[in-house]
Amino acid sequence: MTKTLLLLPGDGIGPEVSAVARRVAGRLINHGLPLTVEEAPFGGVSIDAHGVPLTDATLARALQADAVLMGAVGGPQWANQSYATRPEAGLLKLRSEMQVYANLRPARCFTALADASTLKRVYVEGLDILFVRELTGGVYFGEPRGVETLADGQRRGVNTHVYTSSEIRRVARVAFELARGRKHEVVSAEKANVMEAGLLWREEVQALRDAEYPDIKLSHMLADNMAMQLVKNPRQFDLILTDNLFGDILSDEAAMLTGSLGMLPSAAIGDAGRAGLYEPIHGSAPDIAGRGIANPCAAVLSLAMALRHSLGAPELAARVEAAVEAALDKGARTPDLGGTLSTVAMGDAILAGL
Ligand code: NAD
Ligand code: IPM
Ligand code: MN
């Protein structure tokens, strides 16, 4: 049964790093993987061509695919657009329509990169944290939202942070299940000290653990403290469960523990049987876009996550990850990692390892 991978290269460095992931997928296909790779417009390029970041046609193809692999979206040319039609709004709609509520963001420091982090080797060597970020709720989606002009002429901006107990429990369940394949430890982060929805988060996560996951060691940490603990002693964490906004911020922070934002892949998954959405956690990097120097590792590692979680090929996922590691072991580095290789040359090194 041939499966379908829909590639959404997007904007900025998105097409540059996606091209490397596509080459890797092509190599696997040449060696017998029954996979068809298709492409569709998404993000700023879709705004330019079709007026909206996510067309009905691209959405329909995403919902039909077995997995979707995205590059990145956004950039200064679309930043003044009204919020609802910006590239980022298309990404939120895609996540929501695909119902991928659990975003897995592994932050792993490859041995070869232990000196690439801005933190000392002694703190990051062997680091392996899995973030489970809630992805389809919270302040990203809450209503009301918008900007209004008040009677006195001031403007008032509103976003709403909101979670229901079932939204919290379904992502917590994903975290607990994954913890059973790791160290049986979960640290959940929120701001229960100042937010009602944060307290609800804490209570629901604890209640699910007590009812169904007594084998899991669960602890709770305020998100501001976690931001500090992640640089003080990051290896105290194995699996971190948190909401949409804190997960966004803390995973970017954790990326620097691995050497570069260009190293972190992600998998967004929903209920069993639904297609997953795979994307590097980095953005379109307008500051380096078009120069051919972006690190493609996060995109290639995102393909590996797609192979594992949606395409039924976990052994190939492991091979792709090993190929990235082999390239790094041989000293292959893009500039963000302190090297001089181009995106294409880094791709060559990964393919050589494959
Ligand atoms: P960014 O992640 O694009 O870049 C932050 C910094 O990291 C930049 O200095 C960039 O050069 C560097 N960087 C990121 N990825 C890299 C890579 N693969 N290799 C080497 N260096 C890399 O974040 P930003 O600049 O704050 O945002 C730019 C745009 O991207 C915004 O429009 C934002 O909304 C969007 N964005 C999109 C996604 C996504 O599509 N999933 C994620 C984050 C940000
Ligand atoms: C990410 C990005 C997105 C987010 C933006 C582009 C909508 O920062 O995937 O980390 O905030 O979720
Ligand atoms: Mn982000």
Side-chain angles (χ1 to χ4, degrees), residues 190-209:
E190 24 56 11
K191 285 280 289 176
N193 54 342
V194 289
M195 294 162 68
E196 284 81 354
L199 182 57
L200 182 76
W201 181 282
R202 184 176 289 218
E203 291 172 353
E204 292 294 335
V205 171
Q206 186 67 51
L208 180 66
R209 180 268 171 205

mmCIF file of all heavy atoms in Angstrom, residues 190-209:
data_model
loop_
_atom_site.group_PDB
_atom_site.id
_atom_site.type_symbol
_atom_site.label_atom_id
_atom_site.label_comp_id
_atom_site.label_asym_id
_atom_site.label_seq_id
_atom_site.Cartn_x
_atom_site.Cartn_y
_atom_site.Cartn_z
ATOM 1 N N GLU A 190 2.900 24.918 34.030
ATOM 2 C CA GLU A 190 1.830 25.911 33.821
ATOM 3 C C GLU A 190 2.102 27.086 34.759
ATOM 4 O O GLU A 190 3.183 27.166 35.330
ATOM 5 C CB GLU A 190 0.432 25.317 34.075
ATOM 6 C CG GLU A 190 0.332 24.123 34.978
ATOM 7 C CD GLU A 190 0.898 24.276 36.369
ATOM 8 O OE1 GLU A 190 1.228 25.380 36.817
ATOM 9 O OE2 GLU A 190 1.020 23.258 37.041
ATOM 10 N N LYS A 191 1.149 27.978 34.870
ATOM 11 C CA LYS A 191 1.241 29.056 35.860
ATOM 12 C C LYS A 191 -0.002 28.952 36.742
ATOM 13 O O LYS A 191 -0.889 29.816 36.718
ATOM 14 C CB LYS A 191 1.326 30.415 35.157
ATOM 15 C CG LYS A 191 2.680 30.705 34.535
ATOM 16 C CD LYS A 191 3.737 31.198 35.543
ATOM 17 C CE LYS A 191 3.440 32.602 36.013
ATOM 18 N NZ LYS A 191 4.415 33.025 37.060
ATOM 19 N N ALA A 192 -0.059 27.866 37.520
ATOM 20 C CA ALA A 192 -1.208 27.645 38.396
ATOM 21 C C ALA A 192 -1.285 28.706 39.489
ATOM 22 O O ALA A 192 -2.324 28.873 40.127
ATOM 23 C CB ALA A 192 -1.126 26.249 39.019
ATOM 24 N N ASN A 193 -0.179 29.432 39.682
ATOM 25 C CA ASN A 193 -0.176 30.448 40.740
ATOM 26 C C ASN A 193 -0.905 31.734 40.344
ATOM 27 O O ASN A 193 -1.322 32.500 41.197
ATOM 28 C CB ASN A 193 1.272 30.764 41.162
ATOM 29 C CG ASN A 193 2.168 31.157 39.993
ATOM 30 O OD1 ASN A 193 1.847 30.885 38.842
ATOM 31 N ND2 ASN A 193 3.291 31.781 40.285
ATOM 32 N N VAL A 194 -1.063 31.958 39.042
ATOM 33 C CA VAL A 194 -1.750 33.195 38.624
ATOM 34 C C VAL A 194 -2.882 32.978 37.628
ATOM 35 O O VAL A 194 -3.606 33.914 37.313
ATOM 36 C CB VAL A 194 -0.769 34.225 37.997
ATOM 37 C CG1 VAL A 194 0.152 34.818 39.038
ATOM 38 C CG2 VAL A 194 0.008 33.616 36.849
ATOM 39 N N MET A 195 -3.030 31.768 37.100
ATOM 40 C CA MET A 195 -4.043 31.545 36.058
ATOM 41 C C MET A 195 -4.992 30.424 36.458
ATOM 42 O O MET A 195 -4.569 29.312 36.760
ATOM 43 C CB MET A 195 -3.356 31.167 34.727
ATOM 44 C CG MET A 195 -2.529 32.304 34.136
ATOM 45 S SD MET A 195 -1.339 31.722 32.903
ATOM 46 C CE MET A 195 -2.436 31.190 31.606
ATOM 47 N N GLU A 196 -6.298 30.708 36.403
ATOM 48 C CA GLU A 196 -7.285 29.677 36.707
ATOM 49 C C GLU A 196 -7.134 28.490 35.753
ATOM 50 O O GLU A 196 -7.210 27.328 36.156
ATOM 51 C CB GLU A 196 -8.712 30.227 36.603
ATOM 52 C CG GLU A 196 -9.140 31.099 37.774
ATOM 53 C CD GLU A 196 -8.634 32.534 37.665
ATOM 54 O OE1 GLU A 196 -7.859 32.858 36.741
ATOM 55 O OE2 GLU A 196 -9.027 33.354 38.536
ATOM 56 N N ALA A 197 -6.924 28.798 34.472
ATOM 57 C CA ALA A 197 -6.784 27.713 33.501
ATOM 58 C C ALA A 197 -5.501 26.922 33.755
ATOM 59 O O ALA A 197 -5.404 25.750 33.390
ATOM 60 C CB ALA A 197 -6.810 28.267 32.078
ATOM 61 N N GLY A 198 -4.516 27.560 34.385
ATOM 62 C CA GLY A 198 -3.292 26.864 34.768
ATOM 63 C C GLY A 198 -3.543 25.916 35.933
ATOM 64 O O GLY A 198 -3.023 24.795 35.972
ATOM 65 N N LEU A 199 -4.362 26.356 36.877
ATOM 66 C CA LEU A 199 -4.715 25.491 38.003
ATOM 67 C C LEU A 199 -5.550 24.301 37.522
ATOM 68 O O LEU A 199 -5.339 23.165 37.947
ATOM 69 C CB LEU A 199 -5.481 26.293 39.063
ATOM 70 C CG LEU A 199 -5.865 25.513 40.319
ATOM 71 C CD1 LEU A 199 -4.639 24.901 41.001
ATOM 72 C CD2 LEU A 199 -6.621 26.411 41.306
ATOM 73 N N LEU A 200 -6.472 24.577 36.609
ATOM 74 C CA LEU A 200 -7.262 23.477 36.034
ATOM 75 C C LEU A 200 -6.337 22.476 35.351
ATOM 76 O O LEU A 200 -6.497 21.257 35.498
ATOM 77 C CB LEU A 200 -8.281 24.026 35.015
ATOM 78 C CG LEU A 200 -9.175 22.958 34.392
ATOM 79 C CD1 LEU A 200 -10.256 22.517 35.372
ATOM 80 C CD2 LEU A 200 -9.808 23.446 33.097
ATOM 81 N N TRP A 201 -5.367 22.990 34.609
ATOM 82 C CA TRP A 201 -4.375 22.120 33.931
ATOM 83 C C TRP A 201 -3.725 21.196 34.957
ATOM 84 O O TRP A 201 -3.668 19.979 34.788
ATOM 85 C CB TRP A 201 -3.338 23.002 33.222
ATOM 86 C CG TRP A 201 -2.285 22.243 32.480
ATOM 87 C CD1 TRP A 201 -1.196 21.623 33.016
ATOM 88 C CD2 TRP A 201 -2.228 22.001 31.065
ATOM 89 N NE1 TRP A 201 -0.453 21.019 32.028
ATOM 90 C CE2 TRP A 201 -1.064 21.234 30.830
ATOM 91 C CE3 TRP A 201 -3.032 22.377 29.982
ATOM 92 C CZ2 TRP A 201 -0.692 20.830 29.536
ATOM 93 C CZ3 TRP A 201 -2.654 21.963 28.707
ATOM 94 C CH2 TRP A 201 -1.514 21.203 28.499
ATOM 95 N N ARG A 202 -3.234 21.783 36.041
ATOM 96 C CA ARG A 202 -2.540 21.005 37.075
ATOM 97 C C ARG A 202 -3.468 19.940 37.664
ATOM 98 O O ARG A 202 -3.088 18.772 37.808
ATOM 99 C CB ARG A 202 -2.033 21.948 38.177
ATOM 100 C CG ARG A 202 -1.217 21.251 39.243
ATOM 101 C CD ARG A 202 -0.644 22.225 40.264
ATOM 102 N NE ARG A 202 0.426 23.057 39.724
ATOM 103 C CZ ARG A 202 1.518 23.420 40.414
ATOM 104 N NH1 ARG A 202 1.680 23.020 41.667
ATOM 105 N NH2 ARG A 202 2.442 24.188 39.863
ATOM 106 N N GLU A 203 -4.686 20.340 37.984
ATOM 107 C CA GLU A 203 -5.628 19.392 38.612
ATOM 108 C C GLU A 203 -5.997 18.246 37.674
ATOM 109 O O GLU A 203 -6.062 17.082 38.089
ATOM 110 C CB GLU A 203 -6.894 20.140 39.037
ATOM 111 C CG GLU A 203 -6.651 21.092 40.203
ATOM 112 C CD GLU A 203 -7.851 21.994 40.529
ATOM 113 O OE1 GLU A 203 -8.849 21.989 39.763
ATOM 114 O OE2 GLU A 203 -7.767 22.717 41.533
ATOM 115 N N GLU A 204 -6.255 18.560 36.415
ATOM 116 C CA GLU A 204 -6.673 17.518 35.470
ATOM 117 C C GLU A 204 -5.535 16.546 35.164
ATOM 118 O O GLU A 204 -5.753 15.337 35.038
ATOM 119 C CB GLU A 204 -7.187 18.158 34.169
ATOM 120 C CG GLU A 204 -8.489 18.938 34.319
ATOM 121 C CD GLU A 204 -9.680 18.054 34.669
ATOM 122 O OE1 GLU A 204 -9.653 16.838 34.355
ATOM 123 O OE2 GLU A 204 -10.647 18.564 35.269
ATOM 124 N N VAL A 205 -4.328 17.083 35.012
ATOM 125 C CA VAL A 205 -3.175 16.214 34.729
ATOM 126 C C VAL A 205 -2.946 15.273 35.917
ATOM 127 O O VAL A 205 -2.749 14.064 35.755
ATOM 128 C CB VAL A 205 -1.917 17.069 34.432
ATOM 129 C CG1 VAL A 205 -0.669 16.186 34.360
ATOM 130 C CG2 VAL A 205 -2.097 17.850 33.132
ATOM 131 N N GLN A 206 -3.030 15.822 37.141
ATOM 132 C CA GLN A 206 -2.827 15.002 38.338
ATOM 133 C C GLN A 206 -3.931 13.943 38.461
ATOM 134 O O GLN A 206 -3.651 12.777 38.784
ATOM 135 C CB GLN A 206 -2.819 15.899 39.591
ATOM 136 C CG GLN A 206 -2.474 15.151 40.873
ATOM 137 C CD GLN A 206 -1.029 14.650 40.886
ATOM 138 O OE1 GLN A 206 -0.104 15.409 40.645
ATOM 139 N NE2 GLN A 206 -0.826 13.361 41.147
ATOM 140 N N ALA A 207 -5.175 14.345 38.175
ATOM 141 C CA ALA A 207 -6.298 13.398 38.321
ATOM 142 C C ALA A 207 -6.167 12.237 37.332
ATOM 143 O O ALA A 207 -6.425 11.080 37.682
ATOM 144 C CB ALA A 207 -7.625 14.131 38.118
ATOM 145 N N LEU A 208 -5.740 12.540 36.109
ATOM 146 C CA LEU A 208 -5.575 11.465 35.120
ATOM 147 C C LEU A 208 -4.454 10.528 35.542
ATOM 148 O O LEU A 208 -4.575 9.300 35.454
ATOM 149 C CB LEU A 208 -5.276 12.055 33.731
ATOM 150 C CG LEU A 208 -5.087 11.014 32.620
ATOM 151 C CD1 LEU A 208 -6.385 10.248 32.348
ATOM 152 C CD2 LEU A 208 -4.586 11.666 31.328
ATOM 153 N N ARG A 209 -3.380 11.118 36.021
ATOM 154 C CA ARG A 209 -2.256 10.291 36.490
ATOM 155 C C ARG A 209 -2.719 9.377 37.635
ATOM 156 O O ARG A 209 -2.448 8.165 37.635
ATOM 157 C CB ARG A 209 -1.102 11.202 36.921
ATOM 158 C CG ARG A 209 0.141 10.484 37.423
ATOM 159 C CD ARG A 209 0.081 10.317 38.899
ATOM 160 N NE ARG A 209 1.096 9.471 39.472
ATOM 161 C CZ ARG A 209 0.917 8.835 40.623
ATOM 162 N NH1 ARG A 209 -0.230 8.897 41.255
ATOM 163 N NH2 ARG A 209 1.883 8.122 41.145
#
